[in-house]
Amino acid sequence: MQRVVIGKDHVLVAEMIGKGGEGEVYTIQGRKGEAVKVYNTNLRSKREKKVRAMVDARFSSQTNLVAYPSEIVSDNAGNFLGFTMHLFPGYRPLHELYSPKSRQRHFPKADYRFLIRAALNLARAVGEVHQIGSVIGDLNHSGVLVAQDATVALIDADSFQFRLKGIPYPCYVGVPEFTPPELHGKSFASVERTIDHDSFGLAVAIFHLLFMGRHPYSGRYTGPEISMSEAIAQNRFAFSLTRQTQTQTTPPPGALTLDMFPDAVVQAFEQAFGMKPGARPNAKSWIHVLKILENSINHCSKIKTHYYPSKARGCVWCKLAQNNAFDMFPDLESVLSNISSDTRGTENSIKEILAFNFPTAADLLPPISTLNIKYHPLQNTRCGKSKYTLLGILMMAGAAIGFFYAAQLFFVWIGFAVWGYTFFSDSKANPSIFLDAYRQSDIRVQQELDAFLQRNGLIEIVKIRRDLDIAISAYSGHDALLIHDLAILNSNRETRQLMAFLDSFPIRQANISGIGPAKTATLISFGIETAADINRIAVLQVPGFGQVMTSRLTSWRREKEAKFKYNLTRNAQDTADEIALRGQYTAKKAKLENTIRNGLGALKNAKSLLASLPKKAIEDSALFNVLAARAQAQHDLIELGIPVPPSSVTLSVALPQQPVIQTSRSSGTANISSGNATLSVPSCPMCGSLMLLRSGKYGKFWGCSHYPRCRGTRK
């Protein structure tokens, strides 16, 4: 331990808790809640004047949200070493909150409301710095810490810009991906930072939080390949709704979009990343905007940990989980003991539902005999038809007699015979005209029946019955699918261990030549956060990553993978994974049981309505008119001796047959049957999950259903 002097006290620095390019940070023995930063020897003379000015200004006493220098630290000879500052134990870097994988590791209980609250607290902390008279200058995620209650603290305050007694103390550092467009390409030593510059960095940090680690300028540019610094300098805000034509840039795949948020949030981001630096919202404005967002959050009806922006038209986290099998905010409290089940009650409910006498179209539509229809005469009546038929026959007979008695006038008799045949053939009715008339009237009956059902509230009952059919089908196959997934879980232990091992190596902490903070931010924006996410195909799709950079990343992954050792012994992770899987299935089963039992109650409540519908159908004038028209068309067909086609009018309450999955571990395939069709679906060679048929650059291929968490493919 090293002995230092703080004021007049000689103290010992204890555990080193941080190390950076400027120096080291230690706890102080006997001083709880304080830390000391000791600069590297070559920087002490350069930092001393500014640190002493900060201590003299007493910034540390004006806020408890910022680790301002509070006292000077020196050695026994009085030489400047560094300073003391407030310590924030248990706080984590901001990027560990907004990056999805690290959030689940370090903030397992955080939901989307937590991220909004952290953004609010960040804006408050930045606002306090500005009220004191400082400018952060180098506002970036490394200088922001977050606690488990979403409170925020700012560190690295010794780099902040301020003035004391007319003397400027500038900020000489900056991170490219948090630097505003107007400062790109300029030397920080020659620029005086402003609140507008901080407002840009604040907006980037808030955007990271709300958009799951995506960078606002990381997207797909339609022009020549550019770096993130160039994209920022050229004002190419990838998520803009108002400047899409100018930016020519689109968000990364799978990202949230700006139109999912309230108008106040949209306007704030458009201004923050727009063309006018002076229009950027400051910290106070962001507090107002984020409160609007906080008050407009919706709660998912399926997953209790899913909260999402109200304008998103449904739970975005459920949709993303369906697409890539990664839940941004999983419900980690779903355990078996907390979920009740009533198997006997559910089975009895299913029997009642299947036996429920649901009406058919024939039950609802009144019989023709009860309609008292007065049929109109057929346009070509039998009488008229007989008259023309008799005339034609007489003319053809007269022509035959003429041939017999006056053959020399054969040309007259031929014309007379043709004329008579015309009368005879014209008397025959065209069946297609009458059949078309019947079919069209049948279609109108179906349309009016649908409208009748809508008017009388039966559509909702039909929907309930359809949902029940789905729930019953899923409930019946629940146990078989659980056994199947447990078998897969057991068979892919090595792959799961490997992926968990690789997930412990964040790209942000990697030291890969040519891949600095800006390129790292781009990778994370495209869903590549750890070594487990790296594969050649995925990396090559990220803007700015060609063959060289891709090879460096894949080599880094192989280096980490070479250190992996498979543990054959069942461990705590296996138990946790099995409990989580069983918990998910138990939760699904409980929801299915509730759906089935509640649905039966809804059907029972609808009995009186169903019983009254036949009488209402008879009294419904619109339905009567189309039924009468169809009866007339049917009458015409019968009069003409044309067979009446069967009616296509239905009241369909059953969905197509639900797919039945039969798995075969030995063949690595699953046969999915629906109706008369059977599709052989392979299992993923990496994790054993079912695969989906996808389209790629080189045609169709099988891809893992858990993509991008697993990137297994088959031809």
Side-chain angles (χ1 to χ4, degrees), residues 533-562:
D533 300 321
I534 294 174
N535 70 64
R536 181 167 292 274
I537 295 176
V539 176
L540 285 173
Q541 293 175 352
V542 179
F545 285 81
Q547 296 292 342
V548 175
M549 290 296 178
T550 301
S551 296
R552 291 176 184 174
L553 278 168
T554 53
S555 296
W556 177 70
R557 173 186 162 128
R558 284 195 297 269
E559 289 175 8
K560 302 303 180 186
E561 195 169 343

Side-chain angles (χ1 to χ4, degrees), residues 535-661:
N535 70 64
R536 181 167 292 274
I537 295 176
V539 176
L540 285 173
Q541 293 175 352
V542 179
F545 285 81
Q547 296 292 342
V548 175
M549 290 296 178
T550 301
S551 296
R552 291 176 184 174
L553 278 168
T554 53
S555 296
W556 177 70
R557 173 186 162 128
R558 284 195 297 269
E559 289 175 8
K560 302 303 180 186
E561 195 169 343
K563 299 176 182 178
F564 169 71
K565 293 182 180 180
Y566 176 46
N567 182 7
L568 290 169
T569 306
R570 183 177 175 83
N571 53 34
Q573 186 61 50
D574 294 317
T575 303
D577 289 344
E578 182 173 335
I579 289 175
L581 180 61
R582 288 185 179 276
Q584 292 170 12
Y585 269 87
T586 303
K588 290 178 183 177
K589 187 174 184 178
K591 290 178 181 178
L592 290 171
E593 289 182 344
N594 286 333
T595 298
I596 290 169
R597 293 198 296 270
N598 293 338
L600 175 61
L603 287 181
K604 288 180 176 179
N605 292 336
K607 270 189 174 181
S608 59
L609 172 62
L610 295 174
S612 67
L613 287 177
K615 182 180 179 181
K616 290 183 178 180
I618 295 175
E619 298 171 351
D620 191 285
S621 59
L623 193 57
F624 174 87
N625 291 335
V626 294
L627 286 170
R630 188 180 67 173
Q632 177 67 57
Q634 179 177 326
H635 174 75
D636 291 348
L637 291 175
I638 294 172
E639 283 289 294
L640 295 172
I642 301 172
V644 179
S647 172
S648 62
V649 177
T650 61
L651 176 64
S652 176
V653 295
L655 289 175
Q657 182 180 353
Q658 296 298 308
V660 178
I661 302 178

Side-chain angles (χ1 to χ4, degrees), residues 51-247:
V51 171
R52 288 188 181 277
M54 279 189 161
V55 172
D56 290 344
R58 301 184 60 82
F59 289 143
S60 63
S61 64
Q62 299 179 54
T63 175
N64 60 356
L65 301 180
V66 185
Y68 274 114
S70 56
E71 294 180 90
I72 299 298
V73 176
S74 59
D75 60 19
N76 289 329
N79 298 311
F80 175 80
L81 294 179
F83 60 89
T84 63
M85 59 185 174
H86 184 64
L87 181 63
F88 298 98
Y91 283 61
R92 307 291 307 184
L94 181 68
H95 62 77
E96 291 185 354
L97 174 61
Y98 62 64
S99 296
K101 287 187 177 180
S102 63
R103 178 175 63 251
Q104 292 188 10
R105 187 179 305 117
H106 299 294
F107 296 89
K109 296 182 179 180
D111 56 29
Y112 197 65
R113 298 172 303 172
F114 186 98
L115 271 65
I116 298 172
R117 177 58 53 176
L120 263 166
N121 290 333
L122 173 58
R124 291 190 178 104
V126 173
E128 286 202 10
V129 172
H130 294 161
Q131 287 177 354
I132 290 172
S134 298
V135 173
I136 298 173
D138 183 25
L139 199 167
N140 68 83
H141 50 213
S142 297
V144 181
L145 301 180
V146 186
Q148 294 298 324
D149 61 356
T151 55
V152 168
L154 303 181
I155 59 174
D156 297 333
D158 52 322
S159 69
F160 290 5
Q161 174 184 288
F162 66 100
R163 283 178 176 269
L164 184 65
K165 298 177 181 179
I167 301 174
Y169 295 92
C171 174
Y172 294 116
V173 291
V175 176
E177 63 267 31
F178 283 81
T179 300
E182 63 271 19
L183 295 187
H184 276 264
K186 293 185 178 181
S187 171
F188 294 137
S190 62
V191 174
E192 182 176 358
R193 306 295 182 88
T194 68
I195 290 178
D196 288 339
H197 298 155
D198 275 2
S199 296
F200 181 87
L202 174 61
V204 172
I206 293 173
F207 192 92
H208 275 314
L209 284 166
L210 300 186
F211 284 77
M212 307 294 99
R214 311 282 186 171
H215 193 282
Y217 289 82
S218 181
R220 297 191 183 279
Y221 174 47
T222 58
E225 195 170 280
I226 58 176
S227 66
M228 182 180 291
S229 293
E230 290 172 320
I232 296 174
Q234 296 171 17
N235 284 288
R236 299 192 185 278
F237 174 34
F239 293 74
S240 177
L241 300 178
T242 61
R243 296 194 300 116
Q244 290 179 337
T245 303
Q246 296 94 320
T247 64

Side-chain angles (χ1 to χ4, degrees), residues 323-358:
N323 293 335
N324 60 24
F326 183 84
D327 192 340
M328 291 286 184
F329 302 98
D331 182 5
L332 302 177
E333 296 182 358
S334 293
V335 293
L336 303 179
S337 59
N338 291 342
I339 303 174
S340 60
S341 177
D342 182 7
T343 302
R344 176 176 292 183
T346 303
E347 295 291 347
N348 291 335
S349 296
I350 291 174
K351 291 178 182 178
E352 288 191 60
I353 291 169
L354 297 179
F356 191 85
N357 187 20
F358 209 86

Side-chain angles (χ1 to χ4, degrees), residues 23 32 61 80 160 177 241 260 354 370 379 384-385 396 435 463 504 515 569 617 627:
K32 188 177 180 180
S61 64
F80 175 80
F160 290 5
E177 63 267 31
L241 300 178
M260 295 178 178
L354 297 179
T370 65
Q379 187 174 5
K385 176 181 175 182
M396 289 188 288
L435 285 170
K463 183 179 182 300
S504 66
I515 300 179
T569 306
L627 286 170

